[in-house]
């Protein structure tokens, strides 16, 4: 029985049910493996008192320290995030917080490997904890954890050192793996995301549109409302396309700016900010869309891309991260310049000559949670076996 301690600051909770939902899906899959026993540590970062008493932190501060979450045993320790430090001390403070907790967990659950599911601050903290406890550490890179934290002046050295010191590395795409190598890390194993096929790809576009009351062409832009996701670019593109509706799905600090942009355009009646949509309802939204357009400046391999394709919906995206690993045929959509004009042109082309839904879905067949689970199990099992061989030798 492989005993796994999954560590992730990117993990859903009652206050943020969509936060890190793909880490949750992966962890649930691994935990269901017949040869795996697993515990989750999902640290919650909060600023020090009295800032932690502010209303925007209240829901996180009120989370239980330990709970059963969808059948998983989850610990949610608090660790301090110091404002104005650009993350410089996050990993150190996380490791200090987790040392007594992991020592206590290991007395009753002698885990054999730490599976860190986000590179910062999880990765550097996991490496320090793994050394202290004598267990191998795997770190998975997903996107901003490398592209931002891995290059930011305050944290780059920590991220790069963790990559060099970890016993195993995973990346969500070949492009992400190349970016990690460019930072001086060993080449990681590519570990692809999965698709819940009991939800995505089960509705026709007509049925989904009818369920949601949609008439006419619909474009969906899906992701956190942050500048990197480029929702403003898609909004400008759709504003120029008469008769086309845009739904922007997600929440974040860019909402006021996007609302002002939409209000100042001539397309205020065609562009809606839906806010956060529960993940279980996204299958209907994506199936109803004629195009999923996301103008991200950087990505690892966006789950939104894959879920759109599995729903039969072509995508329009820039050449960011693993874009070329997903848009492998004209049926999958278009890779375009990150400008409103380029997005508008590609959307018009796909609306005028839409690829067949089954052809779009075929481009996502290689993604499954079953293969994701089996690959992760094999990766972690190999790290444990290697550690045992070294200690016995």
């Amino acid at each position: 029985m492989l005993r796994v301690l999954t560590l992730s600051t990117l993990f859903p909770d009652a206050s943020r049910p969509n936060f890190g939902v793909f880490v949750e899906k992966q962890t649930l899959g691994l935990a269901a493996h017949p040869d795996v026993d697993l515990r989750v540590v999902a640290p919650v970062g909060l600023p020090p008192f009295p800032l932690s008493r502010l209303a925007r932190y209240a829901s996180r501060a009120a989370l239980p320290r330990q709970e059963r979450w969808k059948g998983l045993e989850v610990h949610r320790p608090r660790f301090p995030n110091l404002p104005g430090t650009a993350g410089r001390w996050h990993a150190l403070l996380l490791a200090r917080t987790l040392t007594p907790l992991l020592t206590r967990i290991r007395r009753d659950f002698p885990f054999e490997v730490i599976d860190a599911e986000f590179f910062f601050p999880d990765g550097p903290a996991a490496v320090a904890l793994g050394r202290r406890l004598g267990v191998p550490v795997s770190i998975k890179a997903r996107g901003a954890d490398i592209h931002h934290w891995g290059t930011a002046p305050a944290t780059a050295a920590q991220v790069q050192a963790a990559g060099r010191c970890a016993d195993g590395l995973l990346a969500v795409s070949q492009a992400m793996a190349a970016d990690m190598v460019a930072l001086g890390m060993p080449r990681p194993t590519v570990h692809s995301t999965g698709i819940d096929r009991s939800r995505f790809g089960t509705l026709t576009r007509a049925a989904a549109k009818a369920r949601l009351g949609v008439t006419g062409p619909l474009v969906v832009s899906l992701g956190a409302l942050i500048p990197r996701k480029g929702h403003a670019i898609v909004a400008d593109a759709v504003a120029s396309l008469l008769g086309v509706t845009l739904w922007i799905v997600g929440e974040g600090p860019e909402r006021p700016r996007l609302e002002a942009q939409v209000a100042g355009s001539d397309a205020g009646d065609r562009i809606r900010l839906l806010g956060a949509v529960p993940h279980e309802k996204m299958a209907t939204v994506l199936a109803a869309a004629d195009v999923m357009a996301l103008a991200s400046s950087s990505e690892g391999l966006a789950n939104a891309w894959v879920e759109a394709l599995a729903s039969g919906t072509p995508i329009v995206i820039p050449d960011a991260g693993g874009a070329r690993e997903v848009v492998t045929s004209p049926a999958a959509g278009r890779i375009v310049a990150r400008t409103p004009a380029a997005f508008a042109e590609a959307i018009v082309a796909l609306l005028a000559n839409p690829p067949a839904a089954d052809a779009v879905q075929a481009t996502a067949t290689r993604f499954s949670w079953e293969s994701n689970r089996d690959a992760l199990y094999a990766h972690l099992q190999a790290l444990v076996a290697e550690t045992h061989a070294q200690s016995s030798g």
Side-chain angles (χ1 to χ4, degrees), residues 70-302:
K70 300 186 179 179
L72 298 170
E73 181 179 321
V74 179
H75 297 261
R76 301 190 188 276
R78 279 44 163 177
F79 73 101
N81 280 350
L82 301 182
T85 64
R88 186 182 307 276
W89 307 110
H90 286 7
L92 174 63
L93 293 171
L94 177 58
R96 287 182 178 177
T97 297
L98 293 182
T99 296
L101 174 62
L102 266 60
T103 301
R104 187 169 67 251
I105 290 173
R106 199 153 190 252
R107 292 190 192 117
D108 299 321
F109 176 65
F111 55 87
E112 301 168 282
V113 61
I114 298 175
D115 169 34
E117 281 298 323
F118 198 65
F119 227 98
F120 189 83
D122 313 29
V127 168
L129 291 160
R131 285 176 172 173
R132 183 182 184 93
L133 298 170
V135 297
V137 170
S138 172
I139 312 174
K140 185 167 183 175
R142 294 178 174 274
D145 48 355
I146 293 295
H147 295 142
H148 174 69
W149 299 111
T151 59
T155 56
Q158 299 177 53
V159 170
Q160 293 167 25
R164 291 191 297 269
C165 294
D167 300 279
L169 296 175
L170 297 172
V172 295
S173 66
Q174 295 287 355
M176 174 64 71
D179 291 342
M180 294 164 72
V181 171
L183 292 176
M185 301 181 193
R187 180 166 292 277
T189 299
V190 174
H191 185 226
S192 299
T193 189
I195 289 291
D196 184 350
R197 299 190 187 280
S198 68
R199 290 179 178 168
F200 294 91
T202 62
L203 280 176
T204 66
R205 182 163 296 123
K209 283 181 181 289
R211 183 175 295 184
L212 297 176
V214 175
T215 58
L218 173 65
V219 176
V220 168
S221 186
L222 168 61
L225 304 189
I226 54 178
R228 177 172 63 84
K229 292 294 184 179
H231 297 296
I233 294 171
V234 179
D236 276 346
V238 173
S240 69
L241 305 179
L242 296 180
V244 179
T245 296
L246 171 65
W247 287 357
I248 300 175
V249 181
E251 197 53 82
E254 281 286 285
R255 172 178 276 275
R257 193 172 78 84
L258 288 167
E259 288 176 336
Q261 176 183 340
V262 172
S265 75
D266 294 328
D269 60 334
R270 296 188 286 111
I271 302 177
R272 292 177 53 195
L273 276 68
L274 268 61
V277 172
H279 188 248
E280 59 269 18
K281 296 183 179 180
M282 278 309 306
T284 304
V285 172
L286 287 173
D290 297 274
V291 176
M292 199 287 285
L294 187 60
S296 304
S297 60
S298 67
E299 290 284 357
L301 191 149

Side-chain angles (χ1 to χ4, degrees), residues 1-8 11 23 26-28 30-32 36-43 66-69 71-77 101-102 104-117 380:
M1 181 68 70
L2 178 64
R3 295 182 296 275
V4 179
L5 191 289
T6 294
L7 170 64
S8 184
F11 200 83
V23 177
Q26 175 178 293
T27 305
L28 286 168
L30 182 62
V36 170
D37 194 2
L38 183 148
R39 305 288 186 275
V40 178
V41 175
Q66 184 176 352
E67 65 176 322
R68 298 292 294 183
W69 179 266
L72 298 170
E73 181 179 321
V74 179
H75 297 261
R76 301 190 188 276
L101 174 62
L102 266 60
R104 187 169 67 251
I105 290 173
R106 199 153 190 252
R107 292 190 192 117
D108 299 321
F109 176 65
F111 55 87
E112 301 168 282
V113 61
I114 298 175
D115 169 34
E117 281 298 323
L380 298 177

Side-chain angles (χ1 to χ4, degrees), residues 18-36:
N18 285 353
F19 183 65
V21 67
F22 299 101
V23 177
E24 176 195 70
K25 289 281 187 185
Q26 175 178 293
T27 305
L28 286 168
L30 182 62
H33 191 287
D35 191 43
V36 170

